[in-house]
Amino acid sequence: MKPGDQVQGGETADETREEYHLKAEDGELHSQNVLLNGKILLADSDGNIPILEPIKVDASKPIYVHPLSIVFAHIPSIHPPACL
């Protein structure tokens, strides 16, 4: 694929994607706390991280990435040729 090529996938009507928005607590890059979709991620007493719950978004809508954050998006209906 070249930049600008269209990725083939299913119709986006009635389809959703899963988004995982990560950012530092209070926007402070030196914070030791990380938020996932606005909720703090804390390990339990054994050091295990919690289940990472995505937010569901209409797949036809743009992905918004706020400053100083990272977004991972899982789009089940898209099958890029490089991943087949």
Side-chain angles (χ1 to χ4, degrees):
M1 290 186 86
K2 301 182 304 277
D5 284 353
Q6 294 293 318
V7 176
Q8 298 301 313
E11 294 296 319
T12 56
D14 300 327
E15 290 189 24
T16 60
R17 68 174 173 263
E18 299 172 340
E19 291 185 2
Y20 301 84
H21 294 255
L22 293 164
K23 70 176 194 170
E25 187 175 36
D26 297 326
E28 175 56 48
L29 292 181
H30 297 289
S31 173
Q32 293 189 19
N33 296 319
V34 175
L35 303 177
L36 172 65
N37 299 329
K39 297 180 184 173
I40 193 164
L41 287 178
L42 292 173
D44 64 18
S45 59
D46 293 326
N48 299 312
I49 62 170
I51 294 174
L52 305 178
E53 297 289 342
I55 55 173
K56 304 280 184 169
V57 180
D58 181 339
S60 67
K61 301 295 181 191
I63 297 174
Y64 292 102
V65 181
H66 294 279
L68 307 176
S69 70
I70 299 171
V71 176
F72 295 93
H74 174 237
I75 309 170
S77 63
I78 301 295
H79 305 286
C83 297
L84 295 177

